[in-house]
Amino acid sequence: MSGASDGAEANWILRHPQMKELQVGDSEQIHAAFLVYMDLTEVRRWKEVSCVKIPDLQAVLLEAQEKDGGPVYTVLPLPVHQSLSHRSIRQALDRGFPLLLCAVASDSTLVYQRMTDGLVTPVPPVGPFEDEGRRQRRKRRQQQR
Amino acid sequence: MEAELQPQEERSPAPVVGLSLCDSAPLLWRLQDLKAVRSEGLVGALLGSLPRTPRQNVRLGRPLLLLPEEERLLGERGGAAALPAQNQEAAGGELQQRYTEEQQRSFEEQSVLALEDRKSALVRAMTSSSGSDPASDEALQHRLLDLEQNFSFPRSALAVQLSTARAGLSHCPEARAFLEADWPIRAQRCPRREARFQVFRDLRGRGFFLTSAGKFGGDFLVYPGDPLRFHAHFIAICLALDESVCLLDVLCAARLGSNVKKTVLLCSPAPDGPVRYTSLQWSGMV
């Protein structure tokens, strides 16, 4: 919408207690981090969500658990038009937890991708698999001709 | 790598394969070369048309095209040498001469057999119609003689055999070829290629089979074993550690990977040794 409401919106966000602490680096990235923070805490209700400043990356990471006592994730929020390097991903992974990369679109849509160190075998497709019978196959071949 | 492949069998050194270069594409034509290369875990891509099933490309035949990484890996191990380019006209002329000679030989043989055939048909016809009596015998002999003198086997009746197995494809004798072989100097060292090769070598060293992943928007498809037996597990994307990549591209790759049930693997060779791998998967968070 118009600039006025945007301005008010931005001010509101800046007045949030969490946001006040995070004054490192890129304001866009901080905005993205804030949106992800709100999503994790209010919408998904994850536990122990905290913010971590990483000066090397000029970014704010979040650390959170899905449930109490569950595995800890590092979350890297980034505006979707930005770019990143494999090195920065490795730096985030070096914290020792699996990484959730969160892409924040201009309309505040959030997409989470999971990143892990090493080679993770994918989940195989689920059975049961039905082999098609001969009649089905013949029908298909005729259709293709 | 030895540990993963039949440790109890005695491993003789891998044979050296002969590469034919078509422009800059490394091709393998000989069957024993293809077998040797596959047994080392290099898959390549078949390009040729099969003579009995030409109008399809589900199953292709020789030659085998090697990836640049595969060629380079073979080169590093001293496992391949470039065969000298054949002199086209000389080879053509020789083949043609051989062909005409063979045709001539076949023609002569077939003429003789055709004549025999005709004679025995004549004899059958004449002895069946009349009983054996000296007059008809003599007539028969007369006719047979006539036949022999006047018979000519028309060229158009010649039966020609076409071999569907590619004849004449074997190169000049092995020993001579390798003595003449030299390595082509075509190295193009750009950073992206270097990264690809480091990743290829590392993954191959761990026992994975790799093929080209153009269909999936990546650099390599990584199989846990021979591609004839397994589906690929990973789509490998090779990039330098400091290379800047757009986040949208990462999302693209991840989405595609999850659609085809493969993990996207970001691979970067590190200056201090091991290649770094990061697996990219759908988070499951809608």
Side-chain angles (χ1 to χ4, degrees):
Chain A
M1 288 235 345
S2 65
S5 63
D6 269 1
E9 173 93 344
N11 280 340
W12 165 77
I13 287 176
L14 286 173
R15 271 182 272 141
H16 193 282
Q18 271 292 350
M19 277 300 285
K20 283 203 183 130
E21 301 179 10
L22 309 171
Q23 291 307 321
V24 56
D26 185 5
S27 63
E28 278 184 343
Q29 200 270 334
I30 291 181
H31 182 85
F34 181 74
L35 292 175
V36 177
Y37 178 88
M38 295 304 274
D39 182 60
L40 290 178
T41 50
E42 302 296 325
V43 180
R44 298 178 189 273
R45 304 202 177 267
W46 278 31
K47 311 292 178 224
E48 309 286 331
V49 186
S50 59
C51 303
V52 184
K53 292 185 242 191
I54 309 286
D56 276 346
L57 292 179
Q58 284 289 298
V60 173
L61 296 181
L62 304 177
E63 196 178 291
Q65 294 173 328
E66 192 171 350
K67 292 187 267 278
D68 269 321
V72 179
Y73 289 95
T74 309
V75 185
L76 170 57
L78 265 190
V80 80
H81 61 268
Q82 282 194 7
S83 43
L84 74 167
S85 68
H86 197 188
R87 192 186 287 280
S88 44
I89 295 172
R90 299 303 304 185
Q91 278 177 325
L93 278 174
D94 274 342
R95 301 185 74 242
F97 309 120
L99 177 67
L100 280 176
L101 171 71
C102 185
V104 183
S106 54
D107 63 351
S108 303
T109 309
L110 304 175
V111 179
Y112 293 90
Q113 293 292 343
R114 191 189 183 143
M115 296 179 132
T116 337
D117 175 41
L119 286 79
V120 180
T121 313
V123 177
V126 189
F129 302 109
E130 223 176 80
D131 283 330
E132 48 181 23
R134 279 175 70 193
R135 288 182 75 189
Q136 274 292 89
R137 169 157 295 182
R138 214 174 332 134
K139 210 201 306 190
R140 245 220 283 162
R141 275 178 116 188
Q142 279 180 353
Q143 281 170 359
Q144 275 175 4
R145 289 220 194 106
Chain B
M1 189 182 114
E2 316 290 332
E4 277 136 28
L5 308 165
Q6 293 144 354
Q8 59 271 26
E9 231 178 72
E10 189 184 86
R11 301 258 306 153
S12 49
V16 181
V17 301
L19 290 182
S20 292
L21 293 173
C22 179
D23 259 356
S24 63
L27 301 176
L28 293 177
W29 285 94
R30 298 183 299 190
L31 200 54
Q32 70 264 32
D33 288 346
L34 269 78
K35 283 189 190 174
V37 138
R38 189 63 171 239
S39 69
E40 290 198 38
L42 301 176
V43 181
L46 287 170
L47 297 181
S49 179
L50 290 173
R52 296 190 195 197
T53 49
R55 295 176 138 195
Q56 51 83 33
N57 60 5
V58 177
R59 280 199 179 79
L60 294 171
R62 290 175 283 165
L64 185 79
L65 174 70
L66 295 177
L67 288 175
E69 289 79 26
E70 290 172 331
E71 185 198 352
R72 192 167 153 191
L73 196 63
L74 276 178
E76 273 193 356
R77 294 188 204 157
L83 291 170
Q86 289 209 307
N87 189 343
Q88 291 298 351
E89 296 98 63
E94 209 178 284
L95 282 175
Q96 212 169 359
Q97 197 184 355
R98 239 192 300 160
Y99 180 75
T100 42
E101 281 171 9
E102 269 178 43
Q103 289 292 80
Q104 186 58 29
R105 230 185 336 223
S106 176
F107 177 75
E108 282 159 14
E109 266 180 47
Q110 284 188 43
S111 319
V112 169
L113 291 172
L115 183 55
E116 292 295 316
D117 248 356
R118 282 285 212 97
K119 279 189 186 171
S120 51
L122 187 59
V123 167
R124 260 203 312 274
M126 296 208 58
T127 51
S128 67
S129 56
S130 56
S132 66
D133 76 63
S136 58
D137 264 347
E138 212 183 295
L140 176 59
Q141 290 307 320
H142 193 69
R143 298 237 348 225
L144 283 174
L145 201 60
D146 238 355
L147 182 61
E148 201 165 320
Q149 285 172 343
N150 299 329
F151 178 74
S152 73
F153 183 55
R155 202 89 196 191
S156 56
L158 177 65
V160 181
Q161 183 183 30
L162 295 169
S163 54
T164 48
R166 181 74 188 261
L169 193 58
S170 45
H171 292 269
C172 39
E174 259 84 308
R176 197 170 2 124
F178 286 125
L179 286 173
E180 292 175 40
D182 61 76
W183 193 249
I185 304 163
R186 302 179 292 116
Q188 297 156 37
R189 302 273 186 259
C190 68
R192 185 50 88 89
R193 282 216 173 186
E194 199 55 41
R196 276 181 60 130
F197 179 68
Q198 298 296 332
V199 173
F200 183 91
R201 187 168 51 180
D202 189 70
L203 285 173
R204 180 80 275 284
R206 294 183 189 213
F208 291 103
F209 284 62
L210 294 115
T211 58
S212 159
K215 277 194 213 172
F216 296 93
D219 285 306
F220 301 113
L221 276 182
V222 185
Y223 296 79
D226 194 294
L228 287 172
R229 297 169 57 209
F230 296 90
H231 281 299
H233 280 180
F234 305 102
I235 303 170
I237 299 178
C238 307
L239 65 171
L241 268 179
D242 292 310
E243 191 176 323
S244 170
V245 58
C246 186
L247 187 49
L248 280 175
D249 291 338
V250 175
L251 290 181
C252 234
R255 224 11 160 171
L256 177 53
S258 67
N259 270 3
V260 295
K261 298 195 174 42
K262 300 185 205 308
T263 300
V264 174
L265 211 55
L266 298 176
C267 316
S268 296
D272 57 337
V275 181
R276 306 264 193 266
Y277 298 104
T278 306
S279 294
L280 189 56
Q281 291 170 300
W282 173 241
S283 66
M285 295 161 66
V286 182

